[in-house]
Amino acid sequence: MKLVAKNFEKDSSGSVVLVPEEAEDMWHAYNLIAVGDRLKSTTIRRVQTESATGSVSSNKVRTTLAIAVEGIEFDTQACMLRIKGRNVEENQYVKMGAYHTIDLELNRKFTLLKEYWDLIALERVEMACDPTQHADLGAILLHEGLGHIMLVTSSMTIVRAKIDMNIPRKRKGFCSQHDKGLLRFYDAIIQGVLRHINFDVVKCVLVASPGFVKEQFCDYMFQQAIKNEWKAITENKSKFILVHSSSGHKHTLKEVLADPAVTARLADTKAAGEVKALDTFFTMLQTEPDRAYYGINHVEKANEAIAVETLLVTDELFRSTDLPTRKRYVKLVESVKENGGDVRVFSSLHVSGEQLGQLSGVAAILRFPMPDIANDEDSAEESEED
């Protein structure tokens, strides 16, 4: 998605101008546009004209319309978005208040105006327009003295850092300078990894080099991660995959990704973090049920006690046509994040999202057991029966 312009006011109202560039962008647009918003875009309208002789002809014209959104339809097969609503701006072809449908198309810009841009909507714009937000593959290419840290999306490769350092040669009886230089080089790459790789998004990281450089680097990195308590690395150790490359130059990524063995290993390891989080929740539900709750009431009570470690929520809840309901879930997400919790937003198009949807669409893994929540619910049910 390309962000052409944005204009936000102090009261959080405002507009963005966006251009969908690939099919996935239509899914982002579907999650952004809500009933009550205003949408402005070019569209085709059939217009009837009467000639001087009285004959009526019908022609298609392209015009720019602004509508108040009343309905949104998303065709998952064709990745097409159809927006229905009433015209809210003067137009020579369409009367004020007349109904019209706008079909959003790839590579055609549209303007979206909202009375209130909440955290979820702003994050969706950032995710859609920043390619690094959906780069689920990272790569570290290196040989002694040269390293590249890269992010790979479905459509492009982004070089986030280049480390080029002069390392003293090995000399007989004088290895210390070489070793010190090598460790400084490894330290610089580790800092690049911590700065540029978002493990909430990246599902695996290829570490490629000629010889044994990759093994030496990873051994050192994991040792330093334990020593310095870098949880981003220690908790994601399984995401690092060691593979062979001819050098540390960026063009060698192509040869690495073309290796059938690497392709097979990536398919096995690029499991979505959401799936893992949901599996953890179901396991917790069986083994420690006082630390796993679902349903908005239970989860809100747990959040009031700052007990939510991981919040699981489907994106479908943020598309609610009922504004107070949407605000309720947005407030929950904001609060969990402020309290240091992790938030996982599931796509309702994925199997994991469907599973979560069957559990009300919202669930939480708690930092500590809270049996009182279940007891309160049981007491409430007994009171109702009496």
Side-chain angles (χ1 to χ4, degrees):
M1 188 90 78
K2 181 180 180 182
L3 178 62
V4 178
K6 61 180 178 180
N7 180 30
F8 298 122
E9 304 296 336
K10 289 182 179 179
D11 62 357
S12 294
S13 65
S15 64
V16 294
V17 182
L18 300 167
V19 180
E21 296 177 314
E22 54 188 51
E24 187 180 346
D25 292 339
M26 288 301 182
W27 175 246
H28 289 305
Y30 176 51
N31 282 280
L32 269 176
I33 301 168
V35 172
D37 293 346
R38 290 192 177 191
L39 182 80
K40 190 173 185 178
S41 181
T42 58
T43 184
I44 301 294
R45 180 80 173 186
R46 186 175 290 279
V47 177
Q48 289 187 338
T49 55
E50 187 175 340
S51 66
T53 60
S55 62
V56 178
S57 61
S58 179
N59 299 299
K60 288 182 178 180
V61 296
R62 182 168 288 279
T63 184
T64 300
L65 279 186
I67 63 173
V69 179
E70 293 187 12
I72 308 152
E73 295 178 7
F74 182 57
D75 185 338
T76 57
Q77 300 299 317
C79 270
M80 189 178 75
L81 201 55
R82 179 162 288 177
I83 315 298
K84 297 178 182 178
R86 291 179 182 267
N87 181 36
V88 292
E89 287 187 9
E90 287 289 343
N91 186 282
Q92 60 177 318
Y93 301 114
V94 184
K95 292 180 181 179
M96 284 284 288
Y99 274 103
H100 188 79
T101 299
I102 295 178
D103 291 332
L104 292 189
E105 303 174 22
L106 292 178
N107 301 309
R108 180 164 288 134
K109 71 178 180 181
F110 67 90
T111 302
L112 180 63
L113 299 93
K114 287 180 178 287
E115 291 296 322
Y116 183 79
W117 285 86
D118 58 42
L119 173 73
I120 298 298
L122 292 172
E123 285 187 349
R124 177 67 66 171
V125 172
E126 183 182 356
M127 180 191 301
C129 298
D130 181 1
T132 64
Q133 292 292 315
H134 44 90
D136 60 359
L137 175 62
I140 304 168
L141 305 177
L142 69 158
H143 61 242
E144 287 192 5
L146 178 66
H148 284 89
I149 297 172
M150 310 166 82
L151 295 174
V152 184
T153 73
S154 58
S155 57
M156 64 191 297
T157 301
I158 309 151
V159 178
R160 301 301 289 166
K162 178 183 178 182
I163 297 93
D164 194 353
M165 297 176 66
N166 184 32
I167 297 176
R169 290 185 179 182
K170 276 188 178 181
R171 295 181 182 177
K172 194 172 183 180
F174 295 94
C175 293
S176 60
Q177 290 303 313
H178 171 82
D179 293 343
K180 287 179 181 177
L182 201 56
L183 294 183
R184 280 197 300 270
F185 172 61
Y186 290 163
D187 284 332
I189 295 178
I190 294 170
Q191 290 305 312
V193 170
L194 292 170
R195 189 176 300 115
H196 298 296
I197 294 183
N198 180 359
F199 286 99
D200 290 336
V201 178
V202 171
K203 304 301 185 294
C204 56
V205 182
L206 298 175
V207 183
S209 79
F212 295 101
V213 178
K214 55 187 176 294
E215 287 86 0
Q216 293 168 359
F217 165 70
C218 283
D219 288 345
Y220 179 72
M221 177 175 63
F222 296 138
Q223 288 172 11
Q224 293 298 104
I226 294 170
K227 178 181 176 182
N228 295 287
E229 297 183 350
W230 292 328
K231 290 186 177 180
I233 292 176
T234 55
E235 292 179 358
N236 293 283
K237 186 177 179 179
S238 61
K239 291 184 179 181
F240 290 87
I241 300 174
L242 278 58
V243 294
H244 173 79
S245 70
S246 57
S247 74
H249 294 285
K250 62 182 182 181
H251 62 78
T252 57
L253 180 63
K254 186 177 180 180
E255 72 180 50
V256 170
L257 295 176
D259 187 336
V262 172
T263 305
R265 290 174 71 183
L266 288 179
D268 292 337
T269 56
K270 287 172 70 175
E274 286 74 20
V275 175
K276 184 179 179 182
L278 193 61
D279 286 344
T280 302
F281 172 79
F282 281 126
T283 301
M284 193 76 73
L285 199 60
Q286 292 178 333
T287 58
E288 293 184 75
D290 290 341
R291 284 188 59 201
Y293 285 96
Y294 60 89
I296 185 64
N297 292 329
H298 280 172
V299 173
E300 282 180 331
K301 286 179 181 177
N303 183 54
E304 288 171 7
I306 316 180
V308 177
E309 182 176 64
T310 306
L311 176 69
L312 293 70
V313 59
T314 66
D315 55 19
E316 198 167 20
L317 296 173
F318 304 119
R319 293 195 299 272
S320 174
T321 54
D322 182 49
L323 189 58
T325 299
R326 177 186 167 91
K327 284 185 174 180
R328 185 179 184 182
Y329 287 103
V330 171
K331 183 180 178 181
L332 175 63
V333 168
E334 290 176 340
S335 180
V336 169
K337 286 188 175 182
E338 286 174 2
N339 294 332
D342 182 28
V343 176
R344 298 280 182 174
V345 179
F346 288 65
S347 168
S348 56
L349 288 185
H350 294 166
V351 175
S352 58
E354 291 177 0
Q355 285 182 294
L356 183 59
Q358 292 168 1
L359 294 176
S360 80
V362 62
I365 299 170
L366 309 191
R367 294 186 173 98
F368 47 83
M370 288 192 67
D372 294 345
I373 296 180
N375 293 339
D376 290 346
E377 193 74 12
D378 292 340
S379 299
E381 288 178 1
E382 288 174 5
S383 300
E384 288 177 6
E385 289 175 2
D386 295 339

PDB file of all heavy atoms in Angstrom, residues 25-34 72-74 81 316 319 348:
ATOM      1  N   ASP A  25      -3.293  -5.655  -0.150  1.00  0.00           N
ATOM      2  CA  ASP A  25      -3.689  -4.314   0.282  1.00  0.00           C
ATOM      3  C   ASP A  25      -5.202  -4.171   0.384  1.00  0.00           C
ATOM      4  O   ASP A  25      -5.713  -3.349   1.159  1.00  0.00           O
ATOM      5  CB  ASP A  25      -3.138  -3.259  -0.687  1.00  0.00           C
ATOM      6  CG  ASP A  25      -1.617  -3.154  -0.622  1.00  0.00           C
ATOM      7  OD1 ASP A  25      -1.045  -3.574   0.402  1.00  0.00           O
ATOM      8  OD2 ASP A  25      -1.008  -2.662  -1.591  1.00  0.00           O
ATOM      9  N   MET A  26      -5.931  -4.945  -0.418  1.00  0.00           N
ATOM     10  CA  MET A  26      -7.387  -4.909  -0.341  1.00  0.00           C
ATOM     11  C   MET A  26      -7.875  -5.427   1.015  1.00  0.00           C
ATOM     12  O   MET A  26      -8.881  -4.956   1.560  1.00  0.00           O
ATOM     13  CB  MET A  26      -8.008  -5.735  -1.469  1.00  0.00           C
ATOM     14  CG  MET A  26      -7.867  -5.098  -2.837  1.00  0.00           C
ATOM     15  SD  MET A  26      -8.631  -3.457  -2.896  1.00  0.00           S
ATOM     16  CE  MET A  26      -8.343  -3.025  -4.606  1.00  0.00           C
ATOM     17  N   TRP A  27      -7.155  -6.403   1.560  1.00  0.00           N
ATOM     18  CA  TRP A  27      -7.497  -6.919   2.898  1.00  0.00           C
ATOM     19  C   TRP A  27      -7.254  -5.851   3.953  1.00  0.00           C
ATOM     20  O   TRP A  27      -8.055  -5.674   4.877  1.00  0.00           O
ATOM     21  CB  TRP A  27      -6.679  -8.174   3.178  1.00  0.00           C
ATOM     22  CG  TRP A  27      -6.865  -8.731   4.557  1.00  0.00           C
ATOM     23  CD1 TRP A  27      -5.938  -8.810   5.549  1.00  0.00           C
ATOM     24  CD2 TRP A  27      -8.073  -9.288   5.104  1.00  0.00           C
ATOM     25  NE1 TRP A  27      -6.500  -9.380   6.681  1.00  0.00           N
ATOM     26  CE2 TRP A  27      -7.799  -9.682   6.431  1.00  0.00           C
ATOM     27  CE3 TRP A  27      -9.356  -9.497   4.600  1.00  0.00           C
ATOM     28  CZ2 TRP A  27      -8.746 -10.262   7.250  1.00  0.00           C
ATOM     29  CZ3 TRP A  27     -10.306 -10.078   5.432  1.00  0.00           C
ATOM     30  CH2 TRP A  27      -9.995 -10.459   6.737  1.00  0.00           C
ATOM     31  N   HIS A  28      -6.151  -5.114   3.804  1.00  0.00           N
ATOM     32  CA  HIS A  28      -5.882  -4.018   4.737  1.00  0.00           C
ATOM     33  C   HIS A  28      -6.975  -2.951   4.637  1.00  0.00           C
ATOM     34  O   HIS A  28      -7.448  -2.429   5.652  1.00  0.00           O
ATOM     35  CB  HIS A  28      -4.518  -3.391   4.443  1.00  0.00           C
ATOM     36  CG  HIS A  28      -3.357  -4.261   4.802  1.00  0.00           C
ATOM     37  ND1 HIS A  28      -3.185  -4.791   6.064  1.00  0.00           N
ATOM     38  CD2 HIS A  28      -2.304  -4.702   4.068  1.00  0.00           C
ATOM     39  CE1 HIS A  28      -2.075  -5.522   6.094  1.00  0.00           C
ATOM     40  NE2 HIS A  28      -1.537  -5.485   4.895  1.00  0.00           N
ATOM     41  N   ALA A  29      -7.388  -2.622   3.398  1.00  0.00           N
ATOM     42  CA  ALA A  29      -8.435  -1.619   3.192  1.00  0.00           C
ATOM     43  C   ALA A  29      -9.746  -2.074   3.831  1.00  0.00           C
ATOM     44  O   ALA A  29     -10.473  -1.274   4.440  1.00  0.00           O
ATOM     45  CB  ALA A  29      -8.626  -1.351   1.701  1.00  0.00           C
ATOM     46  N   TYR A  30     -10.050  -3.363   3.715  1.00  0.00           N
ATOM     47  CA  TYR A  30     -11.268  -3.931   4.295  1.00  0.00           C
ATOM     48  C   TYR A  30     -11.277  -3.754   5.814  1.00  0.00           C
ATOM     49  O   TYR A  30     -12.320  -3.493   6.424  1.00  0.00           O
ATOM     50  CB  TYR A  30     -11.361  -5.414   3.914  1.00  0.00           C
ATOM     51  CG  TYR A  30     -12.519  -6.164   4.524  1.00  0.00           C
ATOM     52  CD1 TYR A  30     -13.818  -5.678   4.433  1.00  0.00           C
ATOM     53  CD2 TYR A  30     -12.321  -7.375   5.175  1.00  0.00           C
ATOM     54  CE1 TYR A  30     -14.896  -6.374   4.983  1.00  0.00           C
ATOM     55  CE2 TYR A  30     -13.384  -8.084   5.722  1.00  0.00           C
ATOM     56  CZ  TYR A  30     -14.671  -7.569   5.627  1.00  0.00           C
ATOM     57  OH  TYR A  30     -15.719  -8.263   6.170  1.00  0.00           O
ATOM     58  N   ASN A  31     -10.101  -3.873   6.424  1.00  0.00           N
ATOM     59  CA  ASN A  31      -9.989  -3.715   7.873  1.00  0.00           C
ATOM     60  C   ASN A  31      -9.943  -2.252   8.303  1.00  0.00           C
ATOM     61  O   ASN A  31     -10.139  -1.937   9.474  1.00  0.00           O
ATOM     62  CB  ASN A  31      -8.745  -4.442   8.388  1.00  0.00           C
ATOM     63  CG  ASN A  31      -8.955  -5.936   8.487  1.00  0.00           C
ATOM     64  OD1 ASN A  31      -9.558  -6.425   9.436  1.00  0.00           O
ATOM     65  ND2 ASN A  31      -8.498  -6.678   7.490  1.00  0.00           N
ATOM     66  N   LEU A  32      -9.668  -1.355   7.357  1.00  0.00           N
ATOM     67  CA  LEU A  32      -9.597   0.075   7.674  1.00  0.00           C
ATOM     68  C   LEU A  32     -10.946   0.775   7.554  1.00  0.00           C
ATOM     69  O   LEU A  32     -11.312   1.592   8.387  1.00  0.00           O
ATOM     70  CB  LEU A  32      -8.610   0.770   6.721  1.00  0.00           C
ATOM     71  CG  LEU A  32      -7.153   0.880   7.157  1.00  0.00           C
ATOM     72  CD1 LEU A  32      -6.334   1.510   6.036  1.00  0.00           C
ATOM     73  CD2 LEU A  32      -7.024   1.714   8.421  1.00  0.00           C
ATOM     74  N   ILE A  33     -11.677   0.447   6.490  1.00  0.00           N
ATOM     75  CA  ILE A  33     -12.920   1.163   6.184  1.00  0.00           C
ATOM     76  C   ILE A  33     -14.051   0.636   7.066  1.00  0.00           C
ATOM     77  O   ILE A  33     -14.291  -0.564   7.134  1.00  0.00           O
ATOM     78  CB  ILE A  33     -13.278   1.006   4.692  1.00  0.00           C
ATOM     79  CG1 ILE A  33     -12.132   1.546   3.818  1.00  0.00           C
ATOM     80  CG2 ILE A  33     -14.568   1.742   4.365  1.00  0.00           C
ATOM     81  CD1 ILE A  33     -12.254   1.169   2.351  1.00  0.00           C
ATOM     82  N   ALA A  34     -14.741   1.546   7.721  1.00  0.00           N
ATOM     83  CA  ALA A  34     -15.828   1.158   8.626  1.00  0.00           C
ATOM     84  C   ALA A  34     -17.100   1.933   8.280  1.00  0.00           C
ATOM     85  O   ALA A  34     -17.043   3.017   7.683  1.00  0.00           O
ATOM     86  CB  ALA A  34     -15.426   1.427  10.079  1.00  0.00           C
ATOM     87  N   ILE A  72     -20.018  -2.702   3.392  1.00  0.00           N
ATOM     88  CA  ILE A  72     -18.709  -3.100   2.865  1.00  0.00           C
ATOM     89  C   ILE A  72     -18.750  -4.583   2.528  1.00  0.00           C
ATOM     90  O   ILE A  72     -19.108  -5.405   3.390  1.00  0.00           O
ATOM     91  CB  ILE A  72     -17.581  -2.851   3.899  1.00  0.00           C
ATOM     92  CG1 ILE A  72     -17.637  -1.413   4.421  1.00  0.00           C
ATOM     93  CG2 ILE A  72     -16.209  -3.137   3.293  1.00  0.00           C
ATOM     94  CD1 ILE A  72     -17.097  -1.247   5.812  1.00  0.00           C
ATOM     95  N   GLU A  73     -18.406  -4.936   1.307  1.00  0.00           N
ATOM     96  CA  GLU A  73     -18.352  -6.335   0.892  1.00  0.00           C
ATOM     97  C   GLU A  73     -16.949  -6.648   0.384  1.00  0.00           C
ATOM     98  O   GLU A  73     -16.395  -5.900  -0.419  1.00  0.00           O
ATOM     99  CB  GLU A  73     -19.373  -6.610  -0.220  1.00  0.00           C
ATOM    100  CG  GLU A  73     -20.815  -6.461   0.212  1.00  0.00           C
ATOM    101  CD  GLU A  73     -21.781  -6.704  -0.930  1.00  0.00           C
ATOM    102  OE1 GLU A  73     -21.320  -7.120  -2.017  1.00  0.00           O
ATOM    103  OE2 GLU A  73     -22.988  -6.470  -0.741  1.00  0.00           O
ATOM    104  N   PHE A  74     -16.407  -7.768   0.867  1.00  0.00           N
ATOM    105  CA  PHE A  74     -15.062  -8.161   0.446  1.00  0.00           C
ATOM    106  C   PHE A  74     -15.131  -9.523  -0.210  1.00  0.00           C
ATOM    107  O   PHE A  74     -15.545 -10.507   0.406  1.00  0.00           O
ATOM    108  CB  PHE A  74     -14.117  -8.197   1.656  1.00  0.00           C
ATOM    109  CG  PHE A  74     -12.697  -8.557   1.303  1.00  0.00           C
ATOM    110  CD1 PHE A  74     -11.981  -7.812   0.386  1.00  0.00           C
ATOM    111  CD2 PHE A  74     -12.067  -9.641   1.891  1.00  0.00           C
ATOM    112  CE1 PHE A  74     -10.672  -8.130   0.066  1.00  0.00           C
ATOM    113  CE2 PHE A  74     -10.763  -9.978   1.579  1.00  0.00           C
ATOM    114  CZ  PHE A  74     -10.063  -9.210   0.655  1.00  0.00           C
ATOM    115  N   LEU A  81     -13.004  -5.122  -3.334  1.00  0.00           N
ATOM    116  CA  LEU A  81     -13.707  -4.467  -2.240  1.00  0.00           C
ATOM    117  C   LEU A  81     -14.804  -3.579  -2.812  1.00  0.00           C
ATOM    118  O   LEU A  81     -14.545  -2.733  -3.683  1.00  0.00           O
ATOM    119  CB  LEU A  81     -12.719  -3.627  -1.422  1.00  0.00           C
ATOM    120  CG  LEU A  81     -13.088  -3.259   0.008  1.00  0.00           C
ATOM    121  CD1 LEU A  81     -13.417  -4.496   0.819  1.00  0.00           C
ATOM    122  CD2 LEU A  81     -11.942  -2.509   0.658  1.00  0.00           C
ATOM    123  N   GLU A 316     -11.872  -9.283  13.127  1.00  0.00           N
ATOM    124  CA  GLU A 316     -13.300  -9.138  12.854  1.00  0.00           C
ATOM    125  C   GLU A 316     -13.983  -8.239  13.880  1.00  0.00           C
ATOM    126  O   GLU A 316     -14.926  -7.506  13.554  1.00  0.00           O
ATOM    127  CB  GLU A 316     -13.958 -10.525  12.846  1.00  0.00           C
ATOM    128  CG  GLU A 316     -15.299 -10.569  12.165  1.00  0.00           C
ATOM    129  CD  GLU A 316     -15.767 -11.993  11.901  1.00  0.00           C
ATOM    130  OE1 GLU A 316     -15.261 -12.924  12.560  1.00  0.00           O
ATOM    131  OE2 GLU A 316     -16.623 -12.152  11.036  1.00  0.00           O
ATOM    132  N   ARG A 319     -14.081  -4.612  13.096  1.00  0.00           N
ATOM    133  CA  ARG A 319     -14.929  -4.204  11.975  1.00  0.00           C
ATOM    134  C   ARG A 319     -16.403  -4.118  12.397  1.00  0.00           C
ATOM    135  O   ARG A 319     -17.289  -4.010  11.557  1.00  0.00           O
ATOM    136  CB  ARG A 319     -14.794  -5.196  10.810  1.00  0.00           C
ATOM    137  CG  ARG A 319     -13.420  -5.196  10.168  1.00  0.00           C
ATOM    138  CD  ARG A 319     -13.450  -5.910   8.822  1.00  0.00           C
ATOM    139  NE  ARG A 319     -13.838  -7.300   8.939  1.00  0.00           N
ATOM    140  CZ  ARG A 319     -12.994  -8.306   9.172  1.00  0.00           C
ATOM    141  NH1 ARG A 319     -11.696  -8.051   9.303  1.00  0.00           N
ATOM    142  NH2 ARG A 319     -13.413  -9.547   9.262  1.00  0.00           N
ATOM    143  N   SER A 348      -9.294 -13.144  10.376  1.00  0.00           N
ATOM    144  CA  SER A 348     -10.479 -14.006  10.346  1.00  0.00           C
ATOM    145  C   SER A 348     -10.509 -14.893   9.108  1.00  0.00           C
ATOM    146  O   SER A 348     -11.336 -15.790   8.999  1.00  0.00           O
ATOM    147  CB  SER A 348     -11.752 -13.157  10.402  1.00  0.00           C
ATOM    148  OG  SER A 348     -11.769 -12.214   9.343  1.00  0.00           O
TER     149      SER A 348
END
